[in-house]
Amino acid sequence: MVLIPALVIACKQPTVGDVSVTGVKLDQRELTLPAGKTAVLKATVEPANATVQTVTWSVEPADAVTLIDNKDGSCTVSAVKEVTATVTVTTADGGKTAQCAVTVSPLDFEYDETTKTYTVYTAKGLYAWAEAANVDLETNCVLAADIVLEKPAEGQSNWQPVGSEDDIAVAENGYKGTFDGRGYTIRNVTVNNSGSRNQGFFGVITGGAVKDVVLEDLSVTGGDNFVGGIAGHSTGSVSGCYVKGSVRGMNFNVGGIVGKSSGKIEGCCFDGSVQGTKYVGGITGWADGVSSVKACRVKGAVNGTDTVGGIAGGLQSGSSGSFVECIGCCADVQVTAVRDIGGVLGRSDTGTRYLNSCYWSGSPDSEGVINVAVQNFMKVPTEISSWTEATAKMNETLGADFGWKFVCTDNSLPQPVRQ
């Protein structure tokens, strides 16, 4: 007889008192999270007295959000890019799952209360800053992305100027903060207020600073006085701004950048058309007080009746201690007017302190009606041979220590850049 050993199969028996997992739930099934922000999802294992409470977390697509397992049944979700993702929690015991749909939305803005600064990412964020700035005119803005405004219906506006519309109370009601565009572009700004003065992206800038913003496809229509692409009236600083579009005023002080300036305009460009009646210019319609226009460029058409120039309509420094400068600017323009017309200036009255190294091409042939000493206001190529030569002279006059210089490529109209 042959004895065959018995086959003994050992089976693991549940430990007395173990409680199996029957399911898992999340505290949120849907979550909307702005890009760059975080939230916490909490998982609850069922039943509550299940022996194994361990869970794991995953997300699809993997690059939509980042997950940090907090090891306490919760997970920190950080939004990365604008997309809808699915976060899944899975139990170690039984592989039970639950899911949350996470929609990553644009971050409109961030606000720093200490510095009173809006960091703006979207059109909605830009409107939020503008609303706050019209309440507190020292509210700052920093752009963090290109912004596209929705185009309005014909004859309507999608933007109301920041700053006062009250010309009498400019000192009290103009913008006093800092707007830093960081080189980003805002498209489709449309201001259509033909019955109001002080019109532009800003109505009035009083001691504030606006810099490094591009306004593309801009359209500004204002009333009888002070109309500009960046501002209707400025006593502050406007630098590194680039306006592309059209500016139209019903009467006086109309400029591609600033309607009337009693401050500083540097390194700014305007491409497009400017139209007004008197004191009309590609950069500024009128400059007085303590003001300067330096290292600016214009390309387009400037139209008016009286005192119209490719760079500035008129300059005047009448009171004691005031001065006006126009230095190192260039224009390729078609200027039309009945009287006091120039490729650079419409008219410069006595008292203007320093006019030097400005060049233009196009029309008219005259630099303007200038009643003070002027150096190197010349037309290209009839009075100076080329834009390349004019660029060298503008940079020499502006000086190596000035914050801007011109770059000329293939003898084309020079472009100002920061040094």
Side-chain angles (χ1 to χ4, degrees):
M1 177 183 292
V2 178
L3 297 176
I4 300 175
L7 179 62
V8 178
I9 300 175
C11 297
K12 182 180 179 181
Q13 299 296 319
T15 303
V16 176
D18 278 359
V19 178
S20 298
V21 172
T22 60
V24 64
K25 290 184 178 180
L26 288 172
D27 61 342
Q28 300 180 77
R29 295 179 64 88
E30 295 182 353
L31 174 64
T32 298
L33 196 60
K37 296 299 184 180
T38 62
V40 175
L41 289 176
K42 176 67 176 177
T44 302
V45 175
E46 297 178 327
N49 63 341
T51 302
V52 180
Q53 295 284 327
T54 305
V55 297
T56 58
W57 301 85
S58 61
V59 61
E60 180 64 35
D63 60 348
V65 300
T66 59
L67 305 178
I68 298 176
D69 189 344
N70 298 321
K71 306 301 182 182
D72 61 355
S74 71
C75 176
T76 300
V77 181
S78 298
V80 176
K81 65 180 184 180
E82 297 172 32
V83 70
T84 297
T86 301
V87 175
T88 301
V89 61
T90 304
T91 63
D93 179 13
K96 307 299 182 181
T97 62
Q99 294 181 328
C100 176
V102 180
T103 300
V104 181
S105 64
L107 177 63
D108 295 316
F109 67 89
E110 296 177 286
Y111 179 65
D112 186 328
E113 187 174 357
T114 302
T115 62
K116 295 198 296 188
T117 299
Y118 278 72
T119 300
V120 170
Y121 298 88
T122 66
K124 185 176 179 180
L126 187 67
Y127 286 126
W129 162 77
E131 182 178 0
N134 273 318
V135 174
D136 181 350
L137 291 161
E138 295 182 353
T139 304
N140 305 311
C141 181
V142 175
L143 294 188
D146 291 333
I147 293 171
V148 180
L149 303 186
E150 183 177 350
K151 289 186 177 182
E154 186 71 25
Q156 301 299 308
S157 301
N158 63 10
W159 185 259
Q160 293 303 316
V162 174
S164 173
E165 290 187 9
D166 180 1
D167 183 45
I168 298 174
V170 166
E172 292 78 12
N173 295 336
Y175 182 67
K176 302 175 179 67
T178 296
F179 185 99
D180 186 354
R182 298 280 179 92
Y184 288 107
T185 297
I186 304 173
R187 290 182 173 85
N188 300 334
V189 171
T190 304
V191 178
N192 195 343
N193 296 322
S194 59
S196 301
R197 56 178 51 191
N198 292 324
Q199 297 298 300
F201 188 76
F202 290 86
V204 177
I205 301 169
T206 305
V210 179
K211 61 182 181 178
D212 300 335
V213 63
V214 180
L215 300 183
E216 191 168 314
D217 295 326
L218 170 132
S219 176
V220 174
T221 300
D224 67 336
N225 213 342
F226 310 129
V227 182
I230 296 295
H233 188 183
S234 174
T235 65
S237 171
V238 179
S239 63
C241 295
Y242 197 160
V243 174
K244 303 176 184 180
S246 65
V247 177
R248 181 170 178 260
M250 301 296 107
N251 208 338
F252 297 167
N253 299 313
V254 184
I257 301 296
V258 175
K260 179 183 177 182
S261 177
S262 302
K264 180 172 70 174
I265 306 175
E266 293 181 354
C268 291
C269 297
F270 179 81
D271 288 3
S273 64
V274 183
Q275 183 176 344
T277 301
K278 188 174 183 178
Y279 311 136
V280 185
I283 296 296
T284 184
W286 185 259
D288 64 6
V290 179
S291 60
S292 62
V293 181
K294 297 181 180 180
C296 292
R297 179 193 68 74
V298 176
K299 183 176 179 61
V302 184
N303 303 312
T305 302
D306 186 350
T307 317
V308 183
I311 300 296
L315 306 179
Q316 183 177 36
S317 178
S319 61
S320 176
S322 65
F323 64 86
V324 179
E325 299 176 326
C326 184
I327 303 170
C329 295
C330 59
D332 179 15
V333 286
Q334 300 297 315
V335 183
T336 59
V338 175
R339 63 188 300 268
D340 290 355
I341 178 176
V344 178
L345 305 176
R347 184 179 74 238
S348 176
D349 289 340
T350 56
T352 303
R353 189 175 77 170
Y354 193 28
L355 306 177
N356 198 348
S357 294
C358 292
Y359 302 89
W360 83 100
S361 61
S363 67
D365 291 332
S366 168
E367 71 269 26
V369 181
I370 301 175
N371 298 314
V372 293
V374 61
Q375 294 176 280
N376 300 318
F377 275 24
M378 298 180 182
K379 187 174 182 180
V380 180
T382 56
E383 297 173 296
I384 187 171
S385 64
S386 66
W387 279 118
T388 301
E389 185 180 355
T391 299
K393 289 186 176 294
M394 287 189 294
N395 287 338
E396 181 183 1
T397 301
L398 291 168
D401 296 331
F402 186 61
W404 294 88
K405 68 176 183 178
F406 280 95
V407 174
C408 180
T409 304
D410 297 330
N411 196 33
S412 59
L413 185 67
Q415 183 78 12
V417 297
R418 287 192 186 275
Q419 295 201 80

